[in-house]
Amino acid sequence: NAGVMQNPRHLVRRRGQEARLRCSPMKGHSHVYWYRQLPEEGLKFMVYLQKENIIDESGMPKERFSAEFPKEGPSILRIQQVVRGDSAAYFCASSRGNLAGGYTGELFFGEGSRLTVL
Amino acid sequence: GENVEQHPSTLSVQEGDSAVIKCTYSDSASNYFPWYKQELGKRPQLIIDIRSNVGEKKDQRIAVTLNKTAKHFSLHITETQPEDSAVYFCAAMRPGNTGKLIFGQGTTLQVKP
């Protein structure tokens, strides 16, 4: 089991460009979460997706950010017209079940994608 | 809104001593409380978790206690080792159809050999 795979691990963009981050959940996991971690801070929830559905996007900025988890392929976090404040580590996590629904398993995190905006 | 406060922000102990990290949460409906360990540049890894129907849980040198009335929970690491040095995050989650974890700010633990 390869674990949660994120790519790219490091991404450098200039202001105004687009950043596209990809996440493949662990095999057998259908629940995907994206978190953002600013330098020396905790992780902030962004969005929770299941296949073809956004379940909770309460942590997503209203503009420039979008996420999807298509029927086939990885989950994508897309940031349009990046600004310096978007520089952060973006972590994807997956779980086999719904944590809130009594699932007692683990939320597995990927190694993160570190975005630097110049 | 939902909030988790974590203290201390940094903690330095001698190898073999115990370390205690404390968290308080604001949402009384929260019922799931995991702890994650994050080494520099690495992914957060779950080390222990507890649900609200349990007051204490132990796994070898690591234990977590939960006081639902006071809305706080703590991580206890005994016989600390240098490899325990990392950033530790507590988190809380309320029931519902979302897996949204609210994380504390993190505690940087340094274990001196």
Side-chain angles (χ1 to χ4, degrees):
Chain A
N1 196 332
V4 179
M5 303 299 292
Q6 288 189 249
N7 67 83
R9 292 292 310 279
H10 300 275
L11 182 63
V12 179
R13 284 288 178 265
R14 296 192 181 279
R15 282 180 296 170
Q17 292 184 319
E18 178 179 289
R20 193 173 290 228
L21 311 177
R22 289 175 290 277
C23 168
S24 295
M26 286 184 70
K27 187 176 181 180
H29 287 194
S30 59
H31 301 255
V32 167
Y33 315 80
W34 284 94
Y35 286 81
R36 176 164 64 177
Q37 186 176 35
L38 294 171
E40 299 186 12
E41 289 190 15
L43 294 97
K44 303 291 186 190
F45 170 84
M46 299 182 76
V47 63
Y48 163 39
L49 311 104
Q50 295 180 27
K51 285 285 186 181
E52 299 184 281
N53 280 305
I54 297 174
I55 306 302
D56 182 346
E57 57 181 347
S58 58
M60 288 278 274
K62 293 290 185 282
E63 298 176 347
R64 302 189 296 107
F65 284 73
S66 62
E68 62 176 6
F69 189 16
K71 186 177 180 182
E72 301 291 336
S75 175
I76 306 282
L77 179 67
R78 184 181 176 207
I79 311 172
Q80 295 178 290
Q81 300 174 331
V82 296
V83 301
R84 289 218 173 102
D86 296 333
S87 296
Y90 292 83
F91 285 94
C92 172
S94 73
S95 66
R96 183 163 50 83
N98 183 334
L99 287 179
Y103 171 63
T104 55
E106 182 175 343
L107 187 67
F108 290 86
F109 280 86
E111 295 286 353
S113 291
R114 282 156 181 81
L115 172 65
T116 301
V117 179
L118 301 177
Chain B
E2 303 148 326
N3 189 45
V4 175
E5 294 289 333
Q6 184 172 346
H7 299 280
S9 56
T10 60
L11 179 59
S12 181
V13 300
Q14 287 295 136
E15 182 178 0
D17 288 350
S18 295
V20 180
I21 303 170
K22 298 181 179 181
C23 288
T24 58
Y25 58 98
S26 60
D27 187 350
S28 56
S30 296
N31 70 341
Y32 175 64
F33 308 93
W35 286 88
Y36 285 84
K37 175 183 179 182
Q38 187 178 29
E39 296 175 357
L40 189 63
K42 298 292 187 181
R43 66 186 177 92
Q45 289 189 279
L46 180 74
I47 55 171
I48 196 166
D49 59 9
I50 192 167
R51 291 197 181 257
S52 58
N53 57 345
V54 176
E56 184 174 356
K57 184 176 177 180
K58 191 173 181 181
D59 183 3
Q60 298 182 3
R61 296 186 298 110
I62 295 172
V64 57
T65 58
L66 171 65
N67 183 329
K68 281 218 75 180
T69 303
K71 291 192 288 187
H72 68 69
F73 57 113
S74 301
L75 177 71
H76 304 253
I77 306 174
T78 58
E79 300 169 28
T80 53
Q81 301 166 3
E83 49 266 39
D84 293 330
S85 297
V87 180
Y88 291 80
F89 292 97
C90 63
M93 190 179 72
R94 63 181 299 157
N97 63 352
T98 176
K100 177 180 176 181
L101 285 169
I102 307 299
F103 281 85
Q105 300 89 335
T107 296
T108 301
L109 173 64
Q110 182 186 27
V111 180
K112 298 177 185 175

